[in-house]
Amino acid sequence: MIRSHALPIAMAVLLVGCGGNVAPAGPEANQAPTDAAAKGADAPDPVPDVARVRLETEVGPIVVELDGRRAPVTTGNFLAYVDQGRFDGTSFYRASRTRGAPERGFIQGGIRRNYRLMLPPIAHEPTSRTGLRHEAGTISMARTAPGTAMGEFFITASEMPSMDADPDREGDKEGFAAFGRVTEGMDVVRRILAAETAADAGRGAMRGQMLVEPVTIVRARRMDD
């Protein structure tokens, strides 16, 4: 059964299109940047070159393969949340659909504003450095400014190149930190993306994108080969 949760606090987020040279204002972490966040924290060692994580949701499993070789800081951070059970009982709570193309967009989940679950913010790994891209099924970190990502992440249901770093973009050129891809469960991602949203829920660009019934992440675990 899908459970309802309280509406989130404001997260000034805006759906990014699939092209153009505008600053990406996509999935943001819901904590304000701090001096420590701006610097970022290093990922714990060791980080495997490849790690597989199974997100057990109440509407089905999603398996992600993380690229620790090209995005070690971001991968290490995500694995720390997984290994410490910090994602267990959290949820996917946002479905951001592209206007006129509802099958395109992303879903967002994670710890939201739960200070008990937060780990220190991490240094930003832009796609211009890692070589990863926001393709269909990419898992990436939500943030405000670069260096503020913690326990919020999103999964794209379609190619979204405007989430990538772009030196020619006005404003924030750093994009979001892609660090892996979905290998199983894209049907679950699309099901969550298509779920009912509340027209009057959320603030600013988030308005109308909050799920009426957030999808619980029952548990998140590494998959050992």
Side-chain angles (χ1 to χ4, degrees):
M1 178 179 179
I2 299 177
R3 298 182 300 185
S4 297
H5 297 268
L7 299 181
I9 65 166
M11 292 185 289
V13 287
L14 186 66
L15 174 65
V16 181
C18 296
N21 293 323
V22 295
E28 293 189 2
N30 15 359
Q31 60 279 343
T34 63
D35 291 340
K39 183 177 181 181
D42 291 332
D45 291 326
V47 176
D49 285 350
V50 177
R52 296 172 71 225
V53 172
R54 183 182 180 93
L55 303 173
E56 292 282 356
T57 83
E58 58 186 339
V59 297
I62 301 171
V63 176
V64 291
E65 183 177 273
L66 311 182
D67 195 329
R69 182 178 63 84
R70 292 192 284 180
V73 173
T74 314
T75 295
N77 174 71
F78 192 85
L79 291 176
Y81 279 91
V82 169
D83 294 343
Q84 296 174 31
R86 293 173 184 263
F87 286 140
D88 296 0
T90 62
S91 67
F92 286 103
Y93 55 86
R94 180 188 181 196
S96 182
R97 296 182 283 266
T98 301
R99 185 174 300 177
E103 73 282 1
R104 301 177 65 84
F106 61 85
I107 61 174
Q108 184 171 342
I111 64 171
R112 300 175 76 172
R113 197 179 179 85
N114 189 331
Y115 293 99
R116 182 179 59 83
L117 297 177
M118 289 179 182
L119 293 174
I122 58 171
H124 184 55
E125 292 180 310
T127 57
S128 55
R129 183 191 309 163
T130 64
L132 300 171
R133 295 290 181 265
H134 287 87
E135 302 171 340
T138 294
I139 183 169
S140 189
M141 291 304 296
R143 65 167 178 84
T144 49
T148 61
M150 292 185 183
E152 293 288 312
F153 63 94
F154 64 99
I155 299 174
T156 58
S158 58
E159 183 182 16
M160 303 191 77
S162 58
M163 296 284 195
D164 297 338
D166 183 352
D168 297 323
R169 181 185 292 127
E170 296 178 5
D172 188 338
K173 305 176 188 299
E174 295 298 305
F176 296 88
F179 64 103
R181 63 188 181 90
V182 174
T183 57
E184 300 176 34
M186 279 302 293
D187 58 325
V188 178
V189 172
R190 295 187 184 100
R191 180 177 177 184
I192 297 172
L193 183 67
E196 182 183 3
T197 53
D200 58 349
R203 299 180 185 177
M206 295 269 301
R207 190 170 182 82
Q209 298 182 357
M210 312 312 295
L211 294 176
V212 172
E213 296 185 337
V215 175
T216 299
I217 301 170
V218 179
R219 66 183 62 85
R221 296 290 184 271
R222 291 203 207 199
M223 298 176 66
D224 296 325
D225 295 328

